Amino acid sequence: MKNLLLILSLLLLPALESFAQEEPAATFPITGKLEDPDKKPVPFANVALLAAKDSALIGGGTADENGQFTIPAEPGKYLIKITFLALDEKIIPNVIVTNQPVALGTIAMTTNSRLLEELVVQGEKSQMDLQLDKRVFNVGKDLSNIGSNASDILNNMPSVTVDVEGNVALRGSQNVRILIDGKQSGMVGLNPAEALRQIPGDLIESIEIITNPSSRYDAEGEVGILNIVMKKNIRYGLNGSFTGTAGYPSNFGGSFNLNYRRKKVNLIANYGLMYREGPGRGHSRQEYSSADTSFVYDQTNRRTRSGHSNNVMVGLDYFINNYNTLTTTLSYRNSQNSNNSKLEYRDFDLNNTLTRTVTRTEDETEPRTNIEAALNYKKTFERKGQSLSFDAKYILSDETEASKYHEVSDNSSVDIRQRAFNTEDEKNFLAQLDYIHPFSKDGKLEVGLKSSIRTLDNDFSVHQQDERMDWIILPDYDNRLAYNEKIHAGYVMASNQFGKLFVQAGLRGEYSDILTELKKTAERNHREYFNLFPSVHLSYKLKDAQTLQLSYSYRLSRPGFRDLLPFSNFSDSRVFRAGNPLLNPEFTHSFEAGHLLNMEKGTLLSSIYYRHRLGVVENITSVDSTGFTTITPINLSTGDSYGFEFNLTYDPAPWWKLTANANIFRAMNEGFYNDKQYKSDTYSWTSRLSSRVTLFDAVDFQTSFNYRAPRRTTQGRDLSIYFIDLGLSKDILKGRGTITASVRDLLNSQKRRSIVENAGYYSSSVFQWRPRQFLVTFAYRLNRSKEKQNFDKQGDNGDED
């Protein structure tokens, strides 16, 4: 707690000093009362004070419950701008403040000439926004996202898949970089799959898919970047939203997102509380035969993952003057999870006769804590487009997994009792500096520096109870991993417009110093390497409604923390997933061409792409003569993949919106391991179709269909997956509230099905992480509605540099 208070004090100190040094000027109140056409007060309307000469925002406030407002103002000439929900915007010109109060009296507001429902349809953000280097998806427009978490939302994104274990893939590859607000975050650091399930979807504004990032971004991520943009408003006065969710199986949560803007200060706070239970089940069959031994067994698996999480963020924007802004934020997340599972093994002989039944249970607790403190300073200049920014972030994360296992067999009187402990601690410091200098009419030069220092400590051990009831450490499952990573980078990038042609080219250099050490066995692996990563983006406007895009980038994918751990979960005594501390990074050359067509009723983005990968990491499954299976990642192969992708938004009628996307690809991998060749050549595709219809009385109904085709792997194949989501929503309370009911996985069909085939070995498995889910969500907007977006000035989310 002392460290937390110290960090908060350091972050807020510059802003407090600025307050202390600022000399207060004499102000005089501007007062008034707002009434609607029925002569009733208009409570909580936004009242903005603008400079008369250039309409610059000077100050403002919010009317009280009686419609009365008071705005302090220095002597000068002003405009007053009043906005509220479905009422017409009111502009009061020629408000002159001398050396006395100004009373405006009663101000009559008029009802908007269009119905609120029309305003909602015409003014809302589109679900997909296509830009030069990324696609932006506003998650709140997809009814199936409401009441969900970050993992569920990503699973609804075009070309993005999330398997039953929570691993995220883009265009068929799990080597994708996940950012929060354009920056690296400890919220998805140690265990991204589980961490994404703990982020309430109600706190997420949009998802950005960047398939060929420029040199401005880190080179990390073979197939690109998924940027999760959290909600942040800087509207004047007090604004915000509140959301509550209830669902079955147990899914309960609540969140709020608030900001208060007054003169030079904008205060931000959001909070999310979530409790979920995820009952899952599956089964598998293993068959093994060799010259001297054979075995067959079936396994059934039932588990329930449950837990609650708290996410809180507080922040402050201090607008020092028109050119300088200071932002500080402090985030805290705590979760308490549990995992209870029951595995049953049924062993058969060669005649398929049941010979033994073994039951193994697990009881696991998993508390996690994450603290992040961030500081941003941004300076703009009189010259348009010129800016300088500095960012710093400090991250602390810790996670402890404690498990108890109990295994019994029907042909043995001896029980096996085990326990496992796995602690993970992370410290991360990041600092970056970016400068943009415009030249000519449309050109600009960008340069930047970044450094990150990351340390992780992991202690893992498994204990087993002996005949005397003493706990004995199993030496094969006892070690401690120390991971130290230092990455220093710099980039330069230039862009300019030449008639209809836009050109952007950049070069990024990254120096990596990574040390992996297994403390108890004195194994060290030290790597140092420097790489240059070029990028080129071209855009040519064919016609007013058509644009052609070409891009190239060179990228790498460093092994994830868990991929390096030589130990992992011990819940399945016959299947052990182990990491590999000797893994090297993958390198990728990525080419992409796209065509953007803007139509009267929609947009169509078509893309073709090609990737050439070196040192591709594959999970290799091996089985010994006792039936013990080990799954280990290695740098196995060279890979080539190419594909075609399209994203379509189309409005057949004002009340009907369609979105469709598909990614059709071929992936080829080939390599050698232990003198054996592994290869795969697969054609596959993923797709999603969504239809949203506005029915009677402003009720929205949405249907979504997702499909993932089967694909071959180097050791077998993954079978197809499909699922259907439904959603129904209605605005209430004059647009201030929305109630939504939804069903995820209507047919209960979202299951992972896979087959592994090697010489003498066959395995098939089916697993469902969570069954069909029903959700009801209520959202309430404070001093906000689904009004036109130009009323709502969004904050700058920034980019990772």
Side-chain angles (χ1 to χ4, degrees):
M1 179 58 70
K2 291 182 178 180
N3 292 335
L4 184 63
L5 294 174
L6 177 60
I7 292 171
L8 182 60
S9 301
L10 291 175
L11 291 176
L12 296 179
L13 182 59
L16 295 176
E17 288 180 348
S18 299
F19 279 125
Q21 295 173 2
E22 189 175 272
E23 290 291 337
T27 60
F28 302 90
I30 301 174
T31 59
K33 182 178 180 180
L34 306 179
E35 289 187 352
D36 65 14
D38 297 326
K39 304 297 183 182
K40 295 181 180 179
V42 179
F44 309 120
N46 289 317
V47 184
L49 182 68
L50 310 177
K53 62 177 181 178
D54 57 5
S55 298
L57 181 63
I58 303 300
T62 304
D64 62 19
E65 65 273 11
N66 299 314
Q68 297 179 343
F69 66 87
T70 300
I71 304 174
E74 300 175 5
K77 189 174 182 180
Y78 302 99
L79 304 173
I80 298 289
K81 177 181 175 181
I82 305 169
T83 56
F84 181 78
L85 301 177
L87 297 179
D88 274 323
E89 177 182 288
K90 186 79 172 182
I91 300 292
I92 303 175
N94 299 321
V95 178
I96 300 175
V97 178
T98 55
N99 292 324
Q100 59 183 358
V102 176
L104 300 178
T106 300
I107 301 170
M109 305 286 288
T110 58
T111 302
N112 198 300
S113 58
R114 295 167 293 175
L115 295 174
L116 177 61
E117 290 80 3
E118 292 177 321
L119 190 59
V120 169
V121 172
Q122 296 176 15
E124 70 178 5
K125 290 182 180 178
S126 62
Q127 186 171 330
M128 179 174 65
D129 180 21
L130 304 177
Q131 300 179 15
L132 173 66
D133 59 348
K134 61 187 173 185
R135 291 166 287 164
V136 181
F137 295 87
N138 300 295
V139 300
K141 303 307 173 186
D142 190 330
L143 300 185
S144 62
N145 289 329
I146 297 175
S148 60
N149 57 41
S151 182
D152 295 331
I153 289 174
L154 288 175
N155 201 29
N156 277 335
M157 294 295 106
S159 305
V160 179
T161 58
V162 181
D163 66 20
V164 294
E165 295 176 349
N167 299 308
V168 179
L170 175 62
R171 289 179 172 173
S173 173
Q174 293 184 9
N175 291 327
V176 57
R177 177 82 154 169
I178 299 176
L179 305 177
I180 303 290
D181 286 333
K183 304 291 189 297
Q184 183 178 336
S185 173
M187 294 177 69
V188 292
L190 291 175
N191 188 351
E194 186 61 35
L196 290 170
R197 296 189 181 106
Q198 305 299 325
I199 302 176
D202 305 320
L203 300 181
I204 298 175
E205 178 74 20
S206 61
I207 303 292
E208 297 177 351
I209 300 179
I210 309 170
T211 54
N212 225 1
S214 68
S215 300
R216 180 187 304 116
Y217 296 92
D218 277 355
E220 178 76 28
E222 170 228 329
V223 289
I225 293 171
L226 296 175
N227 183 30
I228 301 174
V229 180
M230 308 301 286
K231 289 181 178 178
K232 177 185 176 183
N233 301 300
I234 54 173
R235 291 163 52 97
Y236 213 89
L238 178 64
N239 301 273
S241 61
F242 301 83
T243 303
T245 297
Y248 177 83
S250 295
N251 185 346
F252 302 97
S255 66
F256 67 77
N257 175 46
L258 295 172
N259 85 283
Y260 179 73
R261 170 79 185 272
R262 186 174 180 85
K263 284 193 173 181
K264 293 186 175 184
V265 176
N266 182 59
L267 301 176
I268 310 158
N270 64 49
Y271 173 76
L273 170 66
M274 183 168 60
Y275 174 81
R276 305 185 83 194
E277 288 185 4
R281 60 182 181 178
H283 63 269
S284 65
R285 183 175 179 87
Q286 318 277 337
E287 300 176 4
Y288 177 81
S289 63
S290 65
D292 54 357
T293 185
S294 298
F295 68 82
V296 176
Y297 74 85
D298 289 341
Q299 182 206 82
T300 59
N301 180 356
R302 291 184 178 272
R303 68 174 56 200
T304 300
R305 294 188 67 89
S306 61
H308 67 271
S309 63
N310 295 270
N311 295 265
V312 62
M313 188 275 285
V314 294
L316 178 147
D317 296 310
Y318 181 59
F319 305 95
I320 302 171
N321 52 43
N322 290 338
Y323 302 105
N324 295 273
T325 303
L326 183 69
T327 300
T328 63
T329 59
L330 181 65
S331 303
Y332 173 79
R333 189 189 70 194
N334 175 266
S335 63
Q336 301 288 333
N337 300 313
S338 65
N339 179 26
N340 300 307
S341 65
K342 180 180 180 181
L343 284 76
E344 184 180 88
Y345 308 92
R346 292 161 55 88
D347 294 312
F348 298 86
D349 61 19
L350 294 179
N351 297 318
N352 206 32
T353 301
L354 180 65
T355 60
R356 183 177 61 160
T357 299
V358 178
T359 302
R360 182 178 177 86
T361 60
E362 176 191 15
D363 184 8
E364 179 191 52
T365 59
E366 192 175 5
R368 290 189 179 95
T369 302
N370 171 258
I371 301 174
E372 296 186 19
L375 172 70
N376 169 263
Y377 168 74
K378 185 170 184 179
K379 178 178 178 60
T380 58
F381 300 84
E382 292 186 4
R383 186 172 185 177
K384 184 179 179 180
Q386 185 179 3
S387 66
L388 174 70
S389 65
F390 172 76
D391 289 273
K393 178 179 283 192
Y394 185 65
I395 302 170
L396 289 174
S397 300
D398 69 79
E399 177 180 333
T400 301
E401 300 173 7
S403 302
K404 297 178 181 179
Y405 307 105
H406 183 206
E407 184 173 310
V408 297
S409 174
D410 63 357
N411 66 355
S412 174
S413 59
V414 179
D415 293 359
I416 298 176
R417 295 184 181 274
Q418 298 169 325
R419 64 187 186 186
F421 300 96
N422 188 1
T423 61
E424 302 169 1
D425 299 304
E426 176 185 18
K427 296 179 181 180
N428 201 338
F429 175 75
L430 305 97
Q432 62 187 63
L433 182 68
D434 303 281
Y435 175 70
I436 302 176
H437 186 83
F439 62 88
S440 70
K441 180 182 178 182
D442 300 304
K444 62 180 179 180
L445 177 68
E446 302 179 49
V447 295
L449 298 171
K450 179 180 178 180
S451 287
S452 66
I453 301 173
R454 183 185 184 201
T455 61
L456 298 104
D457 185 83
N458 177 266
D459 198 348
F460 178 88
S461 61
V462 177
H463 308 240
Q464 184 165 311
Q465 205 169 51
D466 62 12
E467 297 84 356
R468 295 177 298 179
M469 308 300 288
D470 294 326
W471 289 101
I472 307 300
I473 294 179
L474 302 182
D476 290 340
Y477 306 103
D478 177 32
N479 218 320
R480 181 176 178 180
L481 175 72
Y483 178 83
N484 293 277
E485 175 188 273
K486 299 175 183 177
I487 300 175
H488 308 291
Y491 74 91
V492 58
M493 188 168 65
S495 61
N496 204 354
Q497 186 87 28
F498 303 95
K500 295 183 177 182
L501 177 66
F502 174 82
V503 180
Q504 181 189 82
L507 183 66
R508 185 181 188 90
E510 290 193 355
Y511 168 74
S512 303
D513 182 357
I514 299 173
L515 173 63
T516 304
E517 184 176 8
L518 293 172
K519 295 286 190 178
K520 296 182 181 180
T521 53
E523 299 174 61
R524 288 171 54 93
N525 185 17
H526 187 205
R527 292 178 174 84
E528 287 184 274
Y529 48 90
F530 176 79
N531 302 98
L532 294 175
F533 301 95
S535 70
V536 178
H537 290 73
L538 305 175
S539 177
Y540 185 78
K541 196 168 186 179
L542 299 174
K543 298 179 181 179
D544 290 340
Q546 297 187 54
T547 303
L548 181 66
Q549 301 172 354
L550 299 172
S551 61
Y552 163 79
S553 66
Y554 180 50
R555 306 187 60 74
L556 90 165
S557 294
R558 298 180 183 89
F561 172 56
R562 289 184 176 269
D563 293 329
L564 299 171
L565 294 176
F567 27 78
S568 184
N569 190 283
F570 203 67
S571 60
D572 190 338
S573 61
R574 300 191 183 186
V575 178
F576 185 72
R577 296 179 180 271
N580 180 1
L582 300 179
L583 280 180
N584 290 312
E586 296 182 19
F587 292 90
T588 303
H589 295 274
S590 177
F591 302 83
E592 186 167 345
H595 176 257
L596 175 60
L597 174 63
N598 292 301
M599 302 172 287
E600 182 180 354
K601 294 186 177 182
T603 58
L604 174 63
L605 175 63
S606 306
S607 304
I608 57 174
Y609 61 88
Y610 169 74
R611 296 195 306 269
H612 178 68
R613 302 162 61 193
L614 301 172
V616 178
V617 175
E618 298 269 3
N619 286 320
I620 297 298
T621 300
S622 58
V623 184
D624 63 19
S625 59
T626 66
F628 188 79
T629 301
T630 303
I631 303 174
T632 306
I634 65 167
N635 293 101
L636 174 68
S637 60
T638 298
D640 291 279
S641 61
Y642 57 86
F644 167 75
E645 183 180 59
F646 77 83
N647 295 270
L648 172 69
T649 63
Y650 184 70
D651 301 342
W655 47 269
W656 188 10
K657 296 180 180 294
L658 289 174
T659 61
N661 61 78
N663 175 37
I664 305 167
F665 62 93
R666 181 186 184 189
M668 299 162 286
N669 293 315
E670 182 175 358
F672 288 86
Y673 178 65
N674 288 342
D675 298 324
K676 180 180 178 181
Q677 184 183 36
Y678 293 84
K679 63 185 301 183
S680 65
D681 187 351
T682 184
Y683 293 85
S684 188
W685 56 289
T686 63
S687 62
R688 185 172 191 264
L689 175 65
S690 176
S691 172
R692 180 173 174 178
V693 178
T694 301
L695 305 174
F696 55 90
D697 200 21
V699 174
D700 286 339
F701 176 70
Q702 179 177 298
T703 306
S704 301
F705 176 74
N706 297 264
Y707 179 77
R708 303 172 196 166
R711 61 177 301 184
R712 291 190 175 276
T713 65
T714 53
Q715 288 189 286
R717 59 189 185 275
D718 296 328
L719 304 184
S720 62
I721 299 177
Y722 69 93
F723 54 97
I724 296 174
D725 298 332
L726 301 179
L728 192 70
S729 75
K730 177 175 173 54
D731 289 338
I732 58 177
L733 303 177
K734 297 183 179 180
R736 297 185 185 93
T738 301
I739 187 167
T740 303
S742 62
V743 182
R744 298 186 65 89
D745 193 12
L746 176 68
L747 303 180
N748 210 31
S749 57
Q750 190 173 355
K751 302 174 183 179
R752 182 187 67 181
R753 301 177 299 154
S754 61
I755 294 174
V756 176
E757 291 180 286
N758 287 325
Y761 176 74
Y762 175 87
S763 169
S764 64
S765 64
V766 177
F767 188 79
Q768 183 178 37
W769 185 266
R770 189 181 61 208
R772 174 176 47 235
Q773 187 159 54
F774 301 90
L775 290 170
V776 176
T777 300
F778 173 70
Y780 180 79
R781 292 169 285 276
L782 176 65
N783 291 341
R784 298 182 62 189
S785 184
K786 291 184 176 180
E787 71 272 41
K788 287 183 177 180
Q789 292 304 312
N790 60 2
F791 290 0
D792 191 353
K793 181 181 178 184
Q794 299 295 326
D796 180 11
N797 296 304
D799 289 328
E800 186 208 44
D801 295 325

